[in-house]
Amino acid sequence: MAADELVEKLRGLHLNAPGDVWVDTVWELDFTDTEPLDSRIVEDITENGVEVFSKLYEKLLPFASEDQGTTESVWSVLKENNLSQNALVAILHHFVVLVRKKKATLMQREYALHAAGLYFLLLEIPGSVANKAFHPVLFEKCLDALRKNW
C-alpha cells in the first residue's frame, strides 16, 4: 500500500520522460554544465505547483525513519516499477539549479527548495549510499539553494 502510493507520487515527476540520454549526460557531467530538462516535461511536473514535491516528500518520509512500519525498500520499489533513481536525482538537480539564475522567480526558488529537501530526504533513506544516490556536487548545490533563499 505504501509502495503503491509512493509509486503514484514518483510518477508525478515523470521519471521516464527525459530519456536515458539526458539522465546519463547529467550524471556523466557530474551535475555541471548540463542541459536543462525539456520545458514540456517541466510544465507537466509543475502543472500543480509544488504539490508534486510536497506529496512525494510525504510518501518518502516514512522510509527515512527508524520505525518506518514497512519492510519495503524505496530502492526496490523504484527497480520493481522501472523507475530510475538516476532520473529522480537528475530531475531534482534540474529544479535545484533554478535558483542559480540571477532573476529566479519566487516559484523557481520554491521549486529549488522543495527539490533540495527531497534530495536531502533521499539521502536519509537507508540504502542511499549503496544505491549511489549521493553526489558531492549536487549536495553542494542543494546547500547553495538553501543559502540563496535566505
Side-chain angles (χ1 to χ4, degrees):
M1 172 104 120
D4 292 338
E5 292 173 353
L6 175 61
V7 168
E8 178 189 338
K9 298 309 173 194
L10 285 164
R11 291 194 194 284
L13 285 179
H14 300 270
L15 299 183
N16 296 326
D20 293 338
V21 173
W22 182 81
V23 172
D24 291 345
T25 302
V26 170
W27 278 88
E28 288 167 7
L29 294 175
D30 289 323
F31 298 92
T32 59
D33 298 324
T34 59
E35 290 293 319
L37 187 58
D38 183 286
S39 62
R40 292 172 299 198
I41 298 170
V42 172
E43 287 174 21
D44 287 345
I45 292 171
T46 60
E47 73 180 324
N48 292 320
V50 295
E51 183 177 309
V52 68
F53 296 101
S54 56
K55 295 290 184 184
L56 179 55
Y57 190 97
E58 185 181 299
K59 297 303 175 191
L60 277 174
L61 189 58
F63 290 91
S65 66
E66 294 285 325
D67 55 332
Q68 61 180 317
T70 180
T71 57
E72 295 175 289
S73 159
V74 167
W75 315 108
S76 297
V77 169
L78 285 165
K79 285 181 182 94
E80 290 166 5
N81 289 279
N82 295 318
L83 298 170
S84 166
Q85 68 192 40
N86 283 357
L88 172 59
V89 173
I91 289 171
L92 292 177
H93 168 261
H94 168 81
F95 287 98
V96 166
V97 298
L98 289 176
V99 76
R100 300 184 111 192
K101 294 179 181 178
K102 289 187 186 216
K103 297 195 182 221
T105 66
L106 181 60
M107 272 320 285
Q108 289 172 324
R109 291 177 188 279
E110 198 169 345
Y111 289 132
L113 287 174
H114 280 274
L118 270 170
Y119 183 67
F120 290 139
L121 179 61
L122 203 58
L123 295 179
E124 288 183 55
I125 296 172
S128 64
V129 173
N131 286 282
K132 300 178 181 157
F134 176 77
H135 193 284
V137 173
L138 180 54
F139 186 82
E140 188 62 37
K141 287 182 177 185
C142 288
L143 291 175
D144 284 345
L146 294 175
R147 288 184 200 116
K148 288 186 185 271
N149 279 303
W150 289 115

Short mmCIF file of all heavy atoms in Angstrom, two decimals, residues 31-53:
data_model
loop_
_atom_site.label_atom_id
_atom_site.label_comp_id
_atom_site.label_asym_id
_atom_site.label_seq_id
_atom_site.Cartn_x
_atom_site.Cartn_y
_atom_site.Cartn_z
N PHE A 31 26.82 16.75 -12.81
CA PHE A 31 25.87 17.79 -12.42
C PHE A 31 26.41 19.20 -12.65
O PHE A 31 26.05 20.14 -11.97
CB PHE A 31 25.42 17.61 -10.96
CG PHE A 31 24.71 16.31 -10.74
CD1 PHE A 31 25.41 15.18 -10.33
CD2 PHE A 31 23.36 16.20 -10.97
CE1 PHE A 31 24.77 13.96 -10.15
CE2 PHE A 31 22.70 14.99 -10.80
CZ PHE A 31 23.41 13.87 -10.39
N THR A 32 27.30 19.33 -13.64
CA THR A 32 27.84 20.65 -14.02
C THR A 32 27.59 20.85 -15.51
O THR A 32 27.66 19.91 -16.29
CB THR A 32 29.34 20.76 -13.73
OG1 THR A 32 30.03 19.75 -14.47
CG2 THR A 32 29.64 20.60 -12.25
N ASP A 33 27.31 22.06 -15.91
CA ASP A 33 27.12 22.41 -17.32
C ASP A 33 26.17 21.46 -18.05
O ASP A 33 26.46 20.99 -19.14
CB ASP A 33 28.46 22.45 -18.06
CG ASP A 33 29.38 23.51 -17.50
OD1 ASP A 33 28.86 24.57 -17.11
OD2 ASP A 33 30.60 23.29 -17.47
N THR A 34 25.06 21.18 -17.44
CA THR A 34 24.10 20.26 -18.04
C THR A 34 23.03 21.01 -18.80
O THR A 34 22.74 22.18 -18.51
CB THR A 34 23.43 19.38 -16.96
OG1 THR A 34 22.77 20.23 -16.03
CG2 THR A 34 24.46 18.53 -16.24
N GLU A 35 22.44 20.34 -19.75
CA GLU A 35 21.31 20.90 -20.49
C GLU A 35 20.09 20.89 -19.56
O GLU A 35 19.91 19.96 -18.78
CB GLU A 35 21.00 20.05 -21.72
CG GLU A 35 22.04 20.13 -22.81
CD GLU A 35 22.09 21.51 -23.44
OE1 GLU A 35 21.03 22.11 -23.68
OE2 GLU A 35 23.22 21.99 -23.68
N PRO A 36 19.26 21.92 -19.65
CA PRO A 36 18.05 21.92 -18.82
C PRO A 36 17.08 20.81 -19.26
O PRO A 36 17.15 20.34 -20.39
CB PRO A 36 17.45 23.30 -19.04
CG PRO A 36 18.07 23.83 -20.27
CD PRO A 36 19.37 23.11 -20.47
N LEU A 37 16.22 20.46 -18.38
CA LEU A 37 15.17 19.50 -18.67
C LEU A 37 14.23 20.11 -19.70
O LEU A 37 13.97 21.32 -19.69
CB LEU A 37 14.42 19.20 -17.37
CG LEU A 37 13.38 18.10 -17.33
CD1 LEU A 37 13.97 16.76 -17.76
CD2 LEU A 37 12.81 17.99 -15.92
N ASP A 38 13.73 19.29 -20.59
CA ASP A 38 12.81 19.75 -21.63
C ASP A 38 11.65 20.53 -21.00
O ASP A 38 11.05 20.08 -20.02
CB ASP A 38 12.28 18.53 -22.40
CG ASP A 38 11.38 18.92 -23.55
OD1 ASP A 38 10.22 19.32 -23.28
OD2 ASP A 38 11.83 18.81 -24.69
N SER A 39 11.34 21.67 -21.56
CA SER A 39 10.32 22.56 -20.98
C SER A 39 8.94 21.91 -20.90
O SER A 39 8.17 22.20 -19.99
CB SER A 39 10.24 23.87 -21.75
OG SER A 39 9.86 23.63 -23.09
N ARG A 40 8.63 21.01 -21.84
CA ARG A 40 7.33 20.32 -21.78
C ARG A 40 7.26 19.40 -20.57
O ARG A 40 6.21 19.29 -19.92
CB ARG A 40 7.09 19.52 -23.06
CG ARG A 40 6.89 20.41 -24.29
CD ARG A 40 6.86 19.59 -25.51
NE ARG A 40 8.17 18.91 -25.59
CZ ARG A 40 8.66 18.36 -26.67
NH1 ARG A 40 7.98 18.35 -27.76
NH2 ARG A 40 9.86 17.79 -26.67
N ILE A 41 8.36 18.76 -20.25
CA ILE A 41 8.41 17.89 -19.07
C ILE A 41 8.29 18.73 -17.81
O ILE A 41 7.55 18.38 -16.89
CB ILE A 41 9.70 17.04 -19.06
CG1 ILE A 41 9.74 16.13 -20.29
CG2 ILE A 41 9.80 16.22 -17.77
CD1 ILE A 41 11.07 15.44 -20.51
N VAL A 42 8.99 19.86 -17.79
CA VAL A 42 8.91 20.76 -16.63
C VAL A 42 7.47 21.22 -16.43
O VAL A 42 6.97 21.24 -15.31
CB VAL A 42 9.87 21.97 -16.80
CG1 VAL A 42 9.64 23.00 -15.70
CG2 VAL A 42 11.32 21.50 -16.82
N GLU A 43 6.80 21.59 -17.51
CA GLU A 43 5.41 22.02 -17.43
C GLU A 43 4.51 20.91 -16.88
O GLU A 43 3.64 21.17 -16.05
CB GLU A 43 4.90 22.47 -18.80
CG GLU A 43 5.45 23.79 -19.24
CD GLU A 43 5.04 24.16 -20.66
OE1 GLU A 43 4.03 23.61 -21.17
OE2 GLU A 43 5.75 24.98 -21.26
N ASP A 44 4.74 19.68 -17.33
CA ASP A 44 3.95 18.56 -16.83
C ASP A 44 4.16 18.36 -15.33
O ASP A 44 3.22 18.09 -14.59
CB ASP A 44 4.31 17.26 -17.57
CG ASP A 44 3.78 17.23 -18.99
OD1 ASP A 44 2.91 18.06 -19.33
OD2 ASP A 44 4.27 16.39 -19.78
N ILE A 45 5.41 18.48 -14.91
CA ILE A 45 5.73 18.27 -13.49
C ILE A 45 5.15 19.39 -12.63
O ILE A 45 4.62 19.14 -11.55
CB ILE A 45 7.26 18.19 -13.29
CG1 ILE A 45 7.80 16.91 -13.95
CG2 ILE A 45 7.64 18.23 -11.80
CD1 ILE A 45 9.33 16.83 -13.99
N THR A 46 5.21 20.61 -13.12
CA THR A 46 4.84 21.76 -12.30
C THR A 46 3.41 22.24 -12.49
O THR A 46 3.03 23.26 -11.91
CB THR A 46 5.80 22.94 -12.57
OG1 THR A 46 5.72 23.29 -13.96
CG2 THR A 46 7.22 22.58 -12.20
N GLU A 47 2.60 21.51 -13.26
CA GLU A 47 1.25 21.99 -13.53
C GLU A 47 0.41 22.19 -12.27
O GLU A 47 -0.49 23.01 -12.24
CB GLU A 47 0.53 21.10 -14.53
CG GLU A 47 0.10 19.76 -14.01
CD GLU A 47 -0.61 18.93 -15.08
OE1 GLU A 47 -1.34 19.50 -15.91
OE2 GLU A 47 -0.42 17.71 -15.08
N ASN A 48 0.73 21.47 -11.20
CA ASN A 48 0.00 21.64 -9.94
C ASN A 48 0.86 22.33 -8.88
O ASN A 48 0.63 22.17 -7.68
CB ASN A 48 -0.48 20.29 -9.41
CG ASN A 48 -1.56 19.69 -10.29
OD1 ASN A 48 -2.43 20.39 -10.77
ND2 ASN A 48 -1.47 18.39 -10.52
N GLY A 49 1.82 23.09 -9.31
CA GLY A 49 2.67 23.81 -8.38
C GLY A 49 3.61 22.88 -7.62
O GLY A 49 4.00 21.82 -8.13
N VAL A 50 3.94 23.25 -6.41
CA VAL A 50 4.91 22.48 -5.62
C VAL A 50 4.29 21.23 -4.99
O VAL A 50 4.98 20.46 -4.34
CB VAL A 50 5.57 23.34 -4.53
CG1 VAL A 50 6.40 24.45 -5.14
CG2 VAL A 50 4.54 23.89 -3.56
N GLU A 51 3.02 21.02 -5.23
CA GLU A 51 2.33 19.88 -4.63
C GLU A 51 3.01 18.55 -4.98
O GLU A 51 3.10 17.66 -4.14
CB GLU A 51 0.87 19.85 -5.09
CG GLU A 51 0.07 18.74 -4.46
CD GLU A 51 -1.38 18.78 -4.87
OE1 GLU A 51 -2.00 19.85 -4.76
OE2 GLU A 51 -1.88 17.73 -5.28
N VAL A 52 3.50 18.42 -6.21
CA VAL A 52 4.15 17.17 -6.61
C VAL A 52 5.35 16.88 -5.70
O VAL A 52 5.59 15.74 -5.33
CB VAL A 52 4.55 17.19 -8.11
CG1 VAL A 52 5.67 18.19 -8.38
CG2 VAL A 52 4.97 15.80 -8.57
N PHE A 53 6.06 17.92 -5.31
CA PHE A 53 7.21 17.75 -4.43
C PHE A 53 6.79 17.46 -2.99
O PHE A 53 7.33 16.57 -2.35
CB PHE A 53 8.10 19.00 -4.45
CG PHE A 53 8.72 19.27 -5.79
CD1 PHE A 53 8.19 20.23 -6.63
CD2 PHE A 53 9.83 18.56 -6.22
CE1 PHE A 53 8.76 20.48 -7.87
CE2 PHE A 53 10.40 18.79 -7.45
CZ PHE A 53 9.87 19.76 -8.28
#
